[in-house]
Amino acid sequence: NLDQALQEISAAPSLEALHTLKVQYLGKNGLVTQEMKTLGKLSPEERKEKGRALNEIKEKLTAALAAREAAIKEQSLQEQLEREALDVSLPGYAFPSGGLHLISQIQKELLDIFRTMGHSVVEGPEVESEFFNFDGVNMPEWHPARDMQDTFWLQPPEGFTIQGPFGESVNDLGSALLRTHTSPMQVRYMVQHTPPFKIVVPGRVFRYEQTDASHEAMFFQLEGLVVGEGITMADLKGAITELARGLFGAEGRVRFQPTFFPFVEPGAQFAMWWPERQKWLELGGAGMVHPNVFKAVDDYREKLGLPRAYEGVSGWAFGFGLERLALLRYGIPDIRYFYQQNRLSFLRQFRN
Ligand code: PHE
């Protein structure tokens, strides 16, 4: 009966169930179709009567089927939308991002100041030969100044060679060590280039040292070297003053005091005036390149078949530690915070 059929249709749970019902009623062998086939045996009166009734039933069933199909599709669409819904108001995930270590930031700041003055930035190896680190910068083995820089000596594996400025093997030039300063790059650079030039050399250096609040076995230096005709101590003071102004603004000033480094003559230690705190920051060493350094460079060049290039020129050099600058400038109490502890909570204070 029709009511029952309509009820079944409107309760069909899926498109497949609906299709089964459609076949059952309206299919080739469906109930309605079979009834239609009996019409031929009826009298014209009855046929007209029953025909109209059957058509009505067929239309109702068809309409009901279509309605249910639409409803089922609508429902599954709704379900899909719900399933795939995005709550755009949910707070996002935090993607932690890295930042530059304070010392990297300071290094960058310093390099930018020197680039402005026309210096090229060059780097050298941390594993050095005794020659470039000591002998070449006028610190022969017997020189008492070697005691100033306690050294990590290395015992390289069989077949290891230290390369010179042109990639040549320099195994005949003393023991291997971790460079104690960036000054060996003075020698390497001068061997490879002819004056005039201006360079700065940032890099890691190592000292065999008991660590405490102001000493680390590893730290960073910045080395400066300018060589050419007629270069004087005044040029050095000018450059360091420019550095002070770059770091501390227009009121930045420098102070030079005589001191001794084997690779400069005259030699000085320099301090910078920190206007904000009204005090001097003792920063590093500097001076005019010692003739023995130029001589060692030219001898090395000659050994490689290159012409001597450092007779009749002069130059200045400086070197200082980046950590010291950072400690003073930011009031950091202990150098070990930088690398031994290296805590994010410490480093994050200096993110920019
Ligand atoms: N190399 C010296 C040091 O590490 C610093 C320095 C460099 C001094 C250049 C004078 C000139 O102590």
Side-chain angles (χ1 to χ4, degrees):
N1 92 21
L2 180 62
D3 281 343
Q4 201 187 320
L6 291 175
Q7 212 154 35
E8 277 179 62
I9 288 171
S10 66
S14 65
L15 289 176
E16 295 80 61
L18 201 61
H19 184 72
T20 309
L21 288 171
K22 189 172 175 177
V23 172
Q24 188 182 328
Y25 294 116
L26 304 176
K28 240 194 262 170
N29 297 310
L31 291 175
V32 175
T33 319
Q34 260 161 24
E35 283 297 311
M36 291 284 201
K37 283 179 186 160
T38 65
L39 288 179
K41 292 170 198 154
L42 300 178
S43 67
E45 291 292 279
E46 286 174 315
R47 191 187 309 154
K48 197 175 165 194
E49 185 78 1
K50 193 167 180 188
R52 186 167 356 92
L54 280 175
N55 267 331
E56 223 166 88
I57 289 172
K58 192 176 169 182
E59 266 162 36
K60 280 186 180 157
L61 288 173
T62 307
L65 285 164
R68 184 61 191 152
E69 184 178 333
I72 290 174
K73 282 184 175 166
E74 170 69 18
Q75 197 189 350
S76 79
L77 178 64
Q78 284 308 328
E79 279 169 10
Q80 186 186 1
L81 287 176
E82 253 162 60
R83 211 168 40 241
E84 296 173 0
L86 279 181
D87 182 351
V88 292
S89 70
L90 274 178
Y93 300 103
F95 290 102
S97 64
L100 290 180
H101 192 284
L102 175 58
I103 296 301
S104 301
Q105 293 179 39
I106 288 184
Q107 181 177 297
K108 190 172 173 301
E109 185 183 352
L110 293 167
L111 295 183
D112 283 345
I113 293 170
F114 280 99
R115 280 198 193 94
T116 312
M117 290 192 256
H119 288 241
S120 324
V121 178
V122 296
E123 288 178 278
E126 291 165 9
V127 172
E128 255 309 357
S129 82
E130 197 176 350
F131 173 76
F132 292 112
N133 194 83
F134 288 131
D135 303 75
V137 290
N138 199 29
M139 291 170 84
E141 203 181 344
W142 49 265
H143 202 294
R146 277 209 187 184
D147 294 346
M148 286 161 54
Q149 302 186 353
D150 288 317
T151 310
F152 284 112
W153 297 94
L154 301 175
Q155 209 158 50
E158 203 63 49
F160 175 89
T161 61
I162 289 171
Q163 305 207 315
F166 292 97
E168 71 280 13
S169 169
V170 295
N171 273 351
D172 54 332
L173 296 176
S175 310
L177 49 78
L178 292 178
R179 67 176 175 192
T180 58
H181 51 179
T182 38
S183 302
M185 253 320 263
Q186 289 191 25
V187 183
R188 285 177 174 271
Y189 191 86
M190 286 195 275
V191 164
Q192 213 186 354
H193 300 82
T194 52
F197 58 76
K198 305 184 199 180
I199 59 167
V200 270
V201 188
R204 237 183 264 266
V205 302
F206 306 82
R207 303 266 170 102
Y208 181 46
E209 219 153 5
Q210 194 82 34
T211 64
D212 61 29
S214 53
H215 294 86
E216 261 287 18
M218 187 281 291
F219 56 99
F220 282 80
Q221 281 191 338
L222 185 72
E223 187 95 4
L225 177 66
V226 170
V227 179
E229 266 174 48
I231 300 291
T232 69
M233 194 90 179
D235 298 314
L236 168 63
K237 279 195 91 169
I240 301 290
T241 302
E242 223 24 64
L243 172 62
R245 289 184 182 152
L247 288 171
F248 299 111
E251 292 170 70
R253 281 191 282 142
V254 295
R255 179 181 75 185
F256 280 67
Q257 291 167 306
T259 194
F260 176 78
F261 295 97
F263 28 90
V264 285
E265 178 58 36
Q269 58 183 36
F270 64 90
M272 286 185 186
W273 179 247
W274 187 9
E276 219 172 287
R277 291 286 165 86
Q278 296 286 299
K279 64 179 184 187
W280 289 101
L281 309 183
E282 203 57 66
L283 217 54
M288 300 305 290
V289 179
H290 196 286
N292 286 354
V293 178
F294 286 142
K295 183 176 178 302
V297 167
D298 267 342
D299 289 349
Y300 193 101
R301 286 174 58 89
E302 215 161 64
K303 230 173 53 180
L304 294 177
L306 296 166
R308 300 181 81 84
Y310 289 86
E311 284 160 1
V313 294
S314 58
W316 57 252
F318 71 78
F320 65 91
L322 271 50
E323 288 75 7
R324 214 183 130 65
L325 177 59
L327 291 175
L328 295 167
R329 200 192 202 184
Y330 297 100
I332 298 164
D334 196 316
I335 194 173
R336 288 168 291 196
Y337 289 170
F338 288 130
Y339 314 114
Q340 288 195 32
Q341 297 199 341
N342 217 14
R343 288 197 191 121
L344 282 177
S345 55
F346 167 72
L347 296 174
R348 282 203 182 107
Q349 300 176 83
F350 306 105
R351 282 193 66 158
N352 59 0

